[in-house]
Amino acid sequence: MPNLYVSGMERLSGKVKLQGAKNSALPILAASLIVRGTTILHNCPDLTDLRAALKILTSLGCDCSFCENTVTVDSRNVTGEIISEDLMREMRSSIMFLGAILARNGSATVTAPGGCELGPRPIDIHLKALEELGYAVEENEGYITCKKSVTKDKVEISLNFPSVGATENIILASCVSKSRVIVHNAAKEPEITDLAAFINRAGGKVYGAGTDRIEIFGVSRLSSVEHNVIPDRIVASTFMSASVVTGGDICVSGIIPEHLTAICSTYRELGSSVTIDNNELRIVSDSRPLGIDTVRSSVYPGFPTDAGPLLISALAKAEGTSVFVETIFDNRFNYVDELKRMGADIKVYGRLAVINGKSRLSGAKVKCTDLRGGAAAVIAALSAEGESVITDIHHIERGYENISGVLRSLNAKIIKE
Ligand code: UD1
């Protein structure tokens, strides 16, 4: 397995084109299973998680190709309804395929997606919602089997937490059905809006995505469709952190400004100049970042939990003390020990991290503990004196397309070998 070798303290500058959003592409690929025809999906990032989704689609009978960020899925001959344990474990968001197989077949068998670097990732909200939709759900020795048992004209589901994945699974399971489904306390993330836009373009009727009340009128079929995946707001925040820690001047093109509102206002508090002109963001950081009193992750439109590690890497170099409160996941701070190896002064108390900014970090050998934690280690390495070796980069490759090449194009000294 290759590593990343980073020589820090280079000032980054230049322009990058933002990749498509992994968390949008994956549920849309699940939705392609429901389409009775061909899906052409542009702006798909080339990531290991995307490749894993294509393997699942292929195992279910789809004909898939992936060329220059465009995925084509022909799902006319879907026959399968079982996803093997190996495929389920390859990508944790594989649970999204459950709703899609149900819409297509009325029954499905998958395994629990298993543990996760961010702590246990239960799917109780997903399964309870499927029961409310009229599916009988059985769990047996790690396998979950769902079968349509009742067809209801109208279903109202109130989520006890606005889970992104559960909202997506409800939309997927009910977009082709005989039911009208209303979801209260739905997740409002842009990736939900993108999934609904895809389904509607294919002939579905999903209304209210982006609000906490989503209404789905089941249709009889989805037809061939072409769609562009939205840009990745978390990857955008990664380049913003890279600018902050290197005193850089980075333009990120292809953004959707409203997706970045909370992120931009937080980075302005760090003292960087953040300007947006149409779909291009420029972040100029010419002095040491300032600490921020308290930042809390929260559901959209709040500060995203996935952007937390990238912000914390920047706060590790800030003047003063900052506090980050993680409100979504139990176990999000595993990467902090790796940042400490570079000299960062961060103390974790449960879901709270206290970051005492240091004027210098030093290069070290660090490992990626998870996707965003791995990216945070890269950001810290860019700002550290000397060389860092970053191992276990398969985590980063789940979510970043060619991170070393893109950072090199901004003047970073980083190689993968
Ligand atoms: C998605 C994103 C992930 C992001 C998260 C929050 C994908 C592939 N992943 O994850 O990157 O960090 O949204 O924006 O899109 N929960 C339960 N029971 C459930 C479902 C969730 O207790 O059935 C809990 C989780 O443990 C977690 C919280 O709810 O504490 C948030 O989970 P959820 O919004 O479902 O996140 P994901 O869809 O897993």
Side-chain angles (χ1 to χ4, degrees), residues 23 93 120-126 161 163-165 305-306 328-329:
N23 290 349
S93 43
R121 224 150 164 179
I123 51 166
D124 53 313
I125 305 176
H126 302 237
F161 177 86
S163 155
V164 175
T305 171
D306 285 359
I328 311 289
F329 289 104

Side-chain angles (χ1 to χ4, degrees), residues 221-342:
R221 58 185 281 139
L222 298 184
S223 312
S224 293
V225 55
E226 191 164 352
H227 183 80
N228 278 301
V229 174
I230 57 169
D232 195 313
R233 60 204 167 99
I234 308 303
V235 174
S237 83
T238 309
F239 295 125
M240 293 172 77
S241 277
S243 166
V244 169
V245 298
T246 67
D249 180 353
I250 295 178
C251 285
V252 185
S253 68
I255 63 153
I256 297 180
E258 57 269 31
H259 293 175
L260 292 167
T261 305
I263 292 173
C264 287
S265 63
T266 304
Y267 279 76
R268 287 189 185 107
E269 284 185 58
L270 290 167
S272 293
S273 150
V274 181
T275 48
I276 292 179
D277 184 11
N278 288 317
N279 295 100
E280 190 165 299
L281 175 146
R282 182 174 179 202
I283 174 161
V284 184
S285 318
D286 44 25
S287 56
R288 198 175 155 201
L290 306 170
I292 303 179
D293 264 359
T294 306
V295 187
R296 299 171 73 86
S297 63
S298 72
V299 297
Y300 190 81
F303 189 86
T305 171
D306 285 359
L310 307 154
L311 177 68
I312 286 179
S313 272
L315 294 173
K317 289 274 309 236
E319 271 184 75
T321 300
S322 312
V323 174
F324 189 93
V325 186
E326 169 58 37
T327 71
I328 311 289
F329 289 104
D330 285 331
N331 208 3
R332 188 106 229 195
F333 292 127
N334 290 337
Y335 62 93
V336 162
D337 282 341
E338 304 303 310
L339 301 188
K340 284 183 181 170
R341 297 168 78 92
M342 295 188 202

